[in-house]
Structure formats: structure tokens, C-alpha cells
Amino acid sequence: MNKKQLIKSLKLIAFIVVVSYVVDKIVYYSITKISDTVYSGQAIGKLNHYLSIKDTTKLIVFGSSRANHHIDVKKLDASSFNMGVDGKFIAYSATLIKLLPKDLKQTVILQIDPDVAYREVYNRLETKTLMVKYHSNPIIKEELDRAELTTPFQKFYWCIDYNGLALGILKNAIFPKYDLDTYYGYDPMEVHSTQKEIFKNILERNDSIVCNTNLKINPLFNSYLKEVESFCTANNKKLITITTPIYIDKCPEDNMALKKTLEDLNIEYHDYTNFFKDNKHLDYWVDIAHMSNKGAEAFSEALSKDLNIYDE
Amino acid sequence: MLFNSIEYLIFFPTVFILYWLLNKDLKKQNLLLLVASYFFYAYWDWTFLSLIIYSSFIDYYIGIKIYETDSVKAKKNWLRLSLVSNLGLLAAFKYFNFFTESFAEMMLLFGWQVDAITLNIILPVGISFYTFQTLSYTIDIYRGNFKPTKDIIAFFTFVSLFPQLVAGPIERASNLLPQIEKVRKFKQKWFHDGIFQITVGLFRKVVIADNLGIYVDSIYASPDVHNSSTLLLATVFYAYQIYFDFAGYSDIAIGSAKLLGFKFNQNFKLPYFSNSIADIWQRWHISLSSWLRDYLYYSLGGSRGSAIFTFRNLMITMIIGGLWHGNTWNFAIWGAIHGLLLVGEKIIFLTLKIKNAGWIGYIYPFCVVLLSWVFFRAQDFETAIQIIKKLIFFEFKIPFVGDINAIVTGLAMLAIGMSFDLYLFKTDKDLETLGRTFSPLKLGVIVSAIILLTSLFYSTSNNFIYFQF
């Protein structure tokens, strides 16, 4: 390689670096502008919605799809929001809880599952979708850095914040799906024929399950739990943890262990895993871990009576 | 070390700079390549480095011996030793459990209960690739097509050159070794080609293949619970996943080599635009298919005999080609299906006295290849049969969508990938030489656009599929 070739090659590399950097920033700010107007969709829309209501809402439910599709929060409190999101666990919920206003009296219902709490490996990967706020929200940035989910490239290419989400954002910006004024985060699930067939096949297969015998709470899960508890205690929030029903629980040991852990931490816990133990009507279920709209309505009614928060 | 890792992003530019700083001293440059290649491999598992050194040493020595010996018998014996050494390695590390389990199953057919002795053997990455590469060297010398090198560093570098070490392309000594032994010159147009091909390869792998893989993995994890439409969709996705995964890998390998001044042979030539089964095999994993043709099919007699003899040779070649990919019967069946398809197609073409099937030729190869991919992807034979049954006795129902975001992203990226391939096909251009056709300004903008798309849509997924072979 002679000097002329070296200069030519370096120029090309430098040009690529500069152009890609500039294009990245233009696209990043354009997507951010669009993204901030989006209120449809679970990953971005719901997060934006949450950020807009979190300072004024009395009761908020956090958790996974088993919170999102199972708890009709309006049955619990008129001023409420269900911030359950598919595939999100305690790290995601804890990060969002930490965004709540200090000193405002609020009820936080955190849906948790024993099988997640006692997983040997829990990598917090689900918090990756919060990346869309990485460069705009310092609390989220801190949590994501702590979870080591960012890549070194992200410091340079900010568009990585929107990795895998850009098409969804555009779609939801062009075709918004719901009314911001009436939506309150609860997404009941209708069972369609394909899903029904799959669930029936799974039940017929009757897979054997190996229960986790090492009932040592995942350290990460435990630390998030403690953080949520101390945040709520310090900031005038009432924390209630619950486990929503599943179709059949073949491993009750982890439920008992979780109950004990939460008792030790002095956290209120309600375990509804076996709520439908004597009612195996398939119309109540979409799959083993998810209730249909019918099941969710029945459960929410009962939850409302049980927690009795409405009048507080 | 994976091509799509941060480590490679640090490793490659470091090697690149040091390499061109040494370009006045060929020996030092080759030594650097050898050390870098061993480091590249050892980064995955240093213990298996000894196998590469062993294989290199054996064939370096045997190559010289075959050339120096006048006796045909002695030449043959040296070649046998090379075959036994290399194939022995493969047999021990890749096929030991397959042989013992198959033997036990066969005995069971006769009513004899034999316990299969299986060993917990880890498959060394790239073993199938580098053993075939070194074998071609000794076979070529035996056939009188190539003279052995006495430069041990050059030979060891030929076997282990990092861009092609773990998943090919399987480079012939006749192409690569002379390039290693000669002073390489930096060529600006190769630099453009390399930069462009690496970027496209990365996009093909981490954006297209890995996004499609999300749906494929979720469906093939429990195919018994899914309907025909879902399985068809997952299988179509897999056909494109494996293509873009391996073609992407080859692009990065070929592009990286070009930046170092090496010209590798093309490994993929738009295989899904083939107009016959035979055409597919001239476009898919070309370095392997041509290896099998030159060193196995021709050794068996090729087509120098009756039609039955030719068909037999084709079947043997394809079954062994299938087994090269993996040590289960699924791969053998996959190879056999391709063998039968090639034979069937040959018979039809001969009977009808045609060279190709016209426009139908652009449709049926993909359809039949699609069915064969089921054996490639399914966990085991029973699962593959279960899926094939559902695909043959097709019952249309709404397919399971799962993660809508992933499926939409996968489809959108697939559309981009296929549009680009269609452009290459229509314009009869090769990706390998496309970079040089752009001005630096245009190349910079195109590469930046690909980087942007990659940032927005990459998916973090498993290793390159072909690593397991």
C-alpha cells in the first residue's frame, strides 16, 4: 500500500464514518419526533402513555402479559392504568416504578411470577425496549447502563435505540389503534380458532414439567424487589404484589417460597395462581399462562373485592 | 471469534494495519497472518488448535512425499495416509456417535440388543471445512495438478487463513496457495469491493437471516402444535434464513480476504434464481459442491459410464454431501433427496431432450428444495416427517403470527434482500465486484445507508448456522 492509496482509503473510511454519523442523527431525531407522538403499540405507545399519566394516576399495575391481559384496572380504581407489557418482568417494572413522582400517594400493584423469581438465569433483556428513551431519560439511561444492555456502538449510532422498533413506530404513527382518552392499558384477549387449536394440542400433549428444586431466589430479581420496596416506602406508594392465575400449576413449591421471601421483606402478597383450580373451562384461557377476556373479567371482579382499594 | 462481534471489529482493523505495514516483507506478512489466524481460532477454543496444526503438518509433509516419490504405489499409499488422517479426524470428532448409534439401531433390527458407546465429543468449529481444504491439496498433488510448497508458513497459513477458517469458502490450494506465496499488492478497487461486500454480508446475516430466525426458531421448537400454514411459512422463512446466513458469512469472508489482497472464489451465486436443481448446485455453496464434484463424483467415475452408473455416483456424492453437513440421518436424507431430484431431473431432461424447463424451471427447484430444508432444520427424523406430512396434506388455516414486530421486520428486510438479489440477477452483476463500480462518494453513501438500516433492524441471534457443520 503506497501513500496515495493509504490517503484514499482513509478518506473513504472517514467519509463513511462522518456520513453515517450525520445520517444516524438526522434519522434518530426524526424517529424520536414521530415516536413521541405515538400512543399505540405496547413497546412505545404504552410507554409514552404511561409517561403522560404516571404523575396523576392513583393506581398503576405493573408486570408482564399476565398483568396486562388479566387485570381490568378500572374495576379496582377509577383513576388507574395497567402498565403490564408482554414479556416484561421485574427489571422493566422496577425501572418504570422509579419514574413515578415522589411524595404523591399512589398504589402500585406489581404482578410477579415465581418461575421468573427462581430462574437460575435472569438477564433483564426485556428492558431493552426502554432503549427508545436511552438518550432522553436519565433514569432509564442509568438503569440500562447498569443492566449492561447497551452496545459500545450506541454511543456513536443513536438509531440503535430504536432497533427493531422503527417499523412499529411508523405503523402506529400512521394508523393509531386506540383512543388515548379511553384506553387505560388493559388489553383483554379474545381467543381465535388458531390459538384455541394450539392450546388444545398442548393440553393433549400433556408435557411433563421438571420443577425447579433449587428454590434460591434469583439475586437480580431479589435486588429489584428490594429496590421497588424501598422506593415505594420512601415515596408514599402502597406496594401490593400479586401472582395472577394459571391454568394448571404443577410446581407449587416456588409459590410457597416466593410467599416466604415476600413476607420476609414485609411486602404485601396475594397469590391467585390457583384461582381457577376448580373451573377448567377452556373459554377462560388462551394458553396455560394467559386468561381470555372472559377469564380476566371474572378474575378482575374477584380481585377488586379482595383488595378493596376502590374506596380508599 | 464471530464476524458479527465487537472483537472482530477490533481484530480485523488491527490485523489490516499491521499487515499492510509489513507489505515489503512477505515472510513476516504471512507469519502475521498465521499468528492472527491461530488467535482468531483460539479465541473460540485454543485446545482444538492442535487439530489444525496436526492436519496442516500431515498434509504439508505428505504433499512433499507424494511429489517426490516416483512409484505410483508409494504415491497412492501416501495419499491413503492423508485420507485416513484427515477423514479419521472427522470420523472421530464428528461421526463417532453417529456410527455407534446407527450400528446399535441396525443390530436391533436383527433382534440383537447392543449398547451404543457414545462419547461426549465437542465438535471442533470448522473441522469439516479445513479437512476438506487440506485434502484437496494432497489429492491435487497426487493427480499431478499441483506442485507442493516447501514454505511451511505459507502452507500453514493456507490451511488456517482466518477469513475462511471456520465456515469456508473451501479454498483450493491451486487458487489460494500461489496468492500466499506471492507478494500481495493493495488494490483500491479491491478495497472498495471488500468494504461493500462486508457491509452487505453483515446486513444479510444480522438483519435478514437473524430476524427471520426468530419466527423459524419459535415454530420449529414445537412444530406439533402448529398448523400447515404456519409450518409452511416457517419453512419458507428458514429457506431464506439459511441462504442469507451463509451467503452473508461468505460475503464477510470474501470481503475481508479482499482487503488483505486475496481473491477467494465466489461461494453463492443467487441460488434461488436457479432454473433447475442442477443449477442450484452450481450456485449454492459453490466451494463445497465443486469440491464434491472434483474429488468425489469424478473419483467415483463421474458420468463416464452407463446412465445407472452416473446416477449411482450422483446419489453417493449427494448423500455424502448431506452427511458432511451433520452427523444425523436427517442430513443423509436431505442429501439423498437432492440426489434423487438431480437424477429425476436428468432423466426428464434427457427424455424430453431439453436443457431446462423454461419458466417452470424458476419455480419448481425452490418448491422441492423447500421441502428438503425441513430435514435440515427439524430436530430429528420423526419431527421432519411430521412436518412434511402437514405440508403435503396441506390444510389452509390462519398462520400463527407470534411476535408481529419480528415477523413484519423479517418480511420487510427479506423484501430488501431479495430486491437486491433480483437487481444482481437482472443486471447479471456479481456482488464480489460491485463495490468498484461505485465512486467513493456513492460507495460512502450506500455503505452509510446500510449501516443505518443495520442499526435500526439488526437482531441479536445465534451463531452462523454453518458453524455447526
Side-chain angles (χ1 to χ4, degrees):
Chain A
M1 188 191 279
N2 57 38
K3 202 177 167 186
K4 202 177 150 195
Q5 287 172 325
L6 178 73
I7 291 169
K8 260 186 166 181
S9 305
L10 284 176
K11 267 185 181 172
L12 177 64
I13 298 289
F15 181 68
I16 291 171
V17 170
V18 171
V19 172
S20 61
Y21 182 81
V22 173
V23 171
D24 173 79
K25 295 301 162 291
I26 294 169
V27 174
Y28 172 81
Y29 284 112
S30 307
I31 298 179
T32 302
K33 195 149 197 195
I34 298 168
S35 171
D36 287 347
T37 65
V38 165
Y39 288 92
S40 297
Q42 285 225 329
I44 315 294
K46 202 165 184 183
L47 180 63
N48 282 339
H49 199 158
Y50 170 74
L51 294 174
S52 70
I53 57 90
K54 69 180 175 62
D55 295 346
T56 51
T57 305
K58 273 172 67 186
L59 181 145
I60 305 177
V61 169
F62 296 90
S64 65
S65 54
R66 290 177 23 77
N68 175 220
H69 306 298
H70 291 178
I71 304 170
D72 182 354
V73 282
K74 286 293 172 210
K75 291 191 189 318
L76 307 184
D77 198 305
S79 168
S80 58
F81 190 77
N82 184 327
M83 194 46 207
V85 179
D86 292 354
K88 309 296 179 201
F89 307 110
I90 198 160
Y92 182 88
S93 302
T95 308
L96 295 188
I97 290 169
K98 286 176 195 169
L99 299 175
L100 289 172
K102 291 179 178 174
D103 301 329
L104 178 71
K105 191 183 173 194
Q106 288 173 302
T107 303
V108 169
I109 297 183
L110 177 63
Q111 199 278 333
I112 48 178
D113 281 314
D115 68 309
V116 181
Y118 293 97
R119 267 181 202 172
E120 222 166 283
V121 181
Y122 171 54
N123 50 21
R124 307 176 270 195
L125 261 180
E126 85 272 12
T127 52
K128 252 191 147 178
T129 51
L130 292 173
M131 211 72 90
V132 292
K133 303 288 177 194
Y134 182 76
H135 284 98
S136 58
N137 188 309
I139 295 175
I140 289 176
K141 184 179 187 302
E142 194 187 318
E143 287 295 323
L144 288 171
D145 283 339
R146 189 180 134 204
E148 294 174 353
L149 290 172
T150 54
T151 80
F153 299 115
Q154 212 158 344
K155 307 261 184 264
F156 194 78
Y157 293 122
W158 289 14
C159 275
I160 294 176
D161 291 7
Y162 289 105
N163 177 258
L165 299 165
L167 289 180
I169 291 169
L170 287 179
K171 190 209 93 189
N172 288 321
I174 300 167
F175 308 107
K177 257 195 311 202
Y178 62 74
D179 181 0
L180 183 63
D181 297 328
T182 56
Y183 181 70
Y184 55 95
Y186 165 57
D187 296 307
M189 286 201 285
E190 298 248 3
V191 199
H192 55 81
S193 55
T194 309
Q195 192 63 48
K196 214 172 207 172
E197 191 191 325
I198 292 172
F199 186 42
K200 240 176 106 184
N201 288 339
I202 290 171
L203 289 179
E204 277 167 15
R205 207 168 60 178
N206 194 22
D207 290 340
S208 59
I209 290 173
V210 182
C211 294
N212 187 1
T213 49
N214 178 23
L215 293 175
K216 197 176 165 228
I217 194 158
N218 182 287
L220 265 180
F221 189 97
N222 200 29
S223 77
Y224 278 110
L225 205 55
K226 284 177 181 167
E227 284 173 28
V228 169
E229 194 277 327
S230 57
F231 176 86
C232 289
T233 309
N235 294 289
N236 200 17
K237 316 282 178 237
K238 182 182 180 186
L239 175 65
I240 301 169
T241 55
I242 65 166
T243 300
T244 59
I246 64 169
Y247 183 78
I248 187 160
D249 181 22
K250 292 181 178 173
C251 306
E253 297 81 9
D254 53 5
N255 290 63
M256 274 143 36
L258 182 63
K259 195 176 174 193
K260 170 89 177 54
T261 302
L262 291 162
E263 266 172 20
D264 292 346
L265 289 171
N266 211 15
I267 296 173
E268 183 178 341
Y269 177 56
H270 302 263
D271 185 3
Y272 297 104
T273 303
N274 294 311
F275 184 77
F276 287 115
K277 199 179 176 184
D278 304 318
N279 180 0
K280 296 287 179 209
H281 204 295
L282 280 187
D283 278 354
Y284 275 33
W285 298 92
V286 173
D287 56 42
I288 284 174
H290 297 97
M291 290 183 278
S292 68
N293 50 349
K294 280 187 185 171
E297 286 304 311
F299 169 66
S300 299
E301 283 288 348
L303 183 68
S304 165
K305 281 179 194 155
D306 204 13
L307 298 182
N308 196 22
I309 310 169
Y310 214 100
D311 302 324
E312 278 182 20
Chain B
M1 195 182 297
L2 293 172
F3 282 162
N4 56 336
S5 64
I6 306 239
E7 289 88 343
Y8 191 71
L9 191 77
I10 298 163
F11 168 82
F12 187 76
T14 311
V15 173
F16 178 82
I17 292 164
L18 292 174
Y19 177 82
W20 287 113
L21 281 175
L22 293 171
N23 76 330
K24 281 182 185 146
D25 191 331
L26 181 66
K27 278 205 182 308
K28 280 185 187 162
Q29 213 181 24
N30 284 346
L31 192 63
L32 170 76
L33 279 182
L34 183 62
V35 173
S37 299
Y38 283 173
F39 176 79
F40 177 86
Y41 192 84
Y43 199 83
W44 170 72
D45 192 337
W46 65 271
T47 49
F48 289 127
L49 202 54
S50 54
L51 294 181
I52 298 177
I53 295 168
Y54 164 79
S55 200
S56 306
F57 184 77
I58 288 280
D59 286 313
Y60 172 74
Y61 184 72
I62 290 176
I64 294 169
K65 282 289 171 194
I66 292 174
Y67 187 72
E68 286 175 349
T69 311
D70 292 327
S71 149
V72 177
K73 199 181 163 193
K75 277 180 191 283
K76 208 171 242 176
N77 283 337
W78 281 115
L79 180 66
R80 279 190 189 127
L81 184 62
S82 169
L83 289 169
V84 169
S85 306
N86 286 294
L87 298 178
L89 269 187
L90 262 186
F93 283 92
K94 192 165 178 176
Y95 299 107
F96 180 81
N97 289 346
F98 172 69
F99 290 141
T100 55
E101 281 167 5
S102 299
F103 177 75
E105 279 167 23
M106 201 172 74
M107 289 296 106
L108 206 61
L109 286 178
F110 295 104
W112 297 316
Q113 178 87 38
V114 178
D115 287 334
I117 305 161
T118 55
L119 299 174
N120 188 18
I121 300 169
I122 299 167
L123 183 68
V125 166
I127 191 166
S128 309
F129 291 91
Y130 66 74
T131 48
F132 268 40
Q133 183 151 320
T134 54
L135 268 180
S136 74
Y137 172 75
T138 46
I139 297 172
D140 278 348
I141 295 169
Y142 173 78
R143 285 176 176 174
N145 296 336
F146 195 69
K147 282 183 185 173
T149 180
K150 292 206 167 161
D151 182 345
I152 194 163
I153 300 293
F155 183 75
F156 276 49
T157 307
F158 154 70
V159 178
S160 63
L161 192 62
F162 69 85
Q164 46 90 66
L165 176 58
V166 289
I170 304 167
E171 282 299 322
R172 306 284 177 87
S174 55
N175 176 47
L176 188 54
L177 203 47
Q179 295 187 58
I180 294 172
E181 289 178 314
K182 263 197 321 208
V183 175
R184 270 88 58 183
K185 280 186 181 157
F186 181 87
K187 292 174 190 160
Q188 204 66 47
K189 60 182 180 181
W190 280 22
F191 185 73
H192 284 206
D193 288 344
I195 293 277
F196 185 64
Q197 197 167 0
I198 290 171
T199 321
V200 171
L202 198 67
F203 180 81
R204 282 174 158 180
K205 160 65 185 160
V206 301
V207 179
I208 306 176
D210 288 354
N211 272 305
L212 293 176
I214 297 170
Y215 186 73
V216 176
D217 289 350
S218 72
I219 302 306
Y220 267 79
S222 47
D224 52 327
V225 301
H226 291 290
N227 61 34
S228 303
S229 314
T230 309
L231 290 169
L232 178 64
L233 186 63
T235 308
V236 171
F237 273 22
Y238 181 66
Y240 286 107
Q241 182 201 355
I242 193 165
Y243 163 58
F244 282 114
D245 185 281
F246 196 25
Y249 179 88
S250 296
D251 291 334
I252 302 172
I254 295 168
S256 299
K258 245 183 183 175
L259 294 185
L260 299 172
F262 293 104
K263 190 172 183 293
F264 285 0
N265 286 314
Q266 195 177 27
N267 210 22
F268 281 85
K269 200 177 178 186
L270 311 172
Y272 289 148
F273 291 98
S274 305
N275 62 3
S276 65
I277 305 291
D279 194 23
I280 283 189
W281 280 104
Q282 282 165 21
R283 293 164 173 271
W284 180 280
H285 201 175
I286 300 166
S287 63
L288 174 69
S289 52
S290 61
W291 196 102
L292 291 170
R293 181 196 62 207
D294 294 348
Y295 300 107
L296 184 60
Y297 180 68
Y298 288 165
S299 299
L300 289 167
S303 53
R304 288 167 300 174
S306 65
I308 300 285
F309 181 73
T310 305
F311 297 157
R312 182 207 71 159
N313 293 343
L314 259 179
M315 286 303 294
I316 293 172
T317 305
M318 295 312 292
I319 291 171
I320 290 178
L323 277 173
W324 176 89
H325 288 87
N327 54 6
T328 67
W329 283 107
N330 266 20
F331 290 104
I333 291 166
W334 175 79
I337 290 171
H338 277 272
L340 285 171
L341 291 170
L342 283 168
V343 168
E345 189 179 75
K346 231 177 176 116
I347 292 171
I348 292 168
F349 284 9
L350 282 172
T351 314
L352 299 176
K353 290 180 181 150
I354 52 171
K355 281 186 176 169
N356 60 58
W359 64 269
I360 301 170
Y362 287 103
I363 300 167
Y364 78 84
F366 181 76
C367 298
V368 289
V369 163
L370 193 66
L371 281 182
S372 74
W373 282 133
V374 172
F375 286 95
F376 218 82
R377 178 60 182 82
Q379 292 284 337
D380 48 47
F381 180 71
E382 287 75 24
T383 314
I385 292 296
Q386 194 181 39
I387 297 168
I388 292 281
K389 269 186 194 165
K390 281 193 185 179
L391 291 179
I392 290 174
F393 303 106
F394 196 81
E395 203 183 329
F396 182 79
K397 284 185 179 170
I398 297 164
F400 174 74
V401 173
D403 182 350
I404 182 86
N405 213 20
I407 207 167
V408 169
T409 305
L411 278 170
M413 296 305 115
L414 177 60
I416 293 174
M418 286 313 289
S419 303
F420 179 63
D421 276 14
L422 188 63
Y423 160 78
L424 292 176
F425 179 69
K426 284 272 181 194
T427 55
D428 202 21
K429 285 179 176 165
D430 284 329
L431 174 59
E432 283 74 7
T433 52
L434 200 57
R436 71 184 66 176
T437 63
F438 304 128
S439 66
L441 190 77
K442 203 169 172 184
L443 180 65
V445 172
I446 293 172
V447 168
S448 300
I450 299 174
I451 291 173
L452 178 75
L453 280 175
T454 307
S455 313
L456 285 171
F457 299 110
Y458 76 89
S459 167
T460 45
S461 175
N462 301 326
N463 287 353
F464 290 92
I465 294 175
Y466 263 68
F467 272 29
Q468 61 188 290
F469 306 140

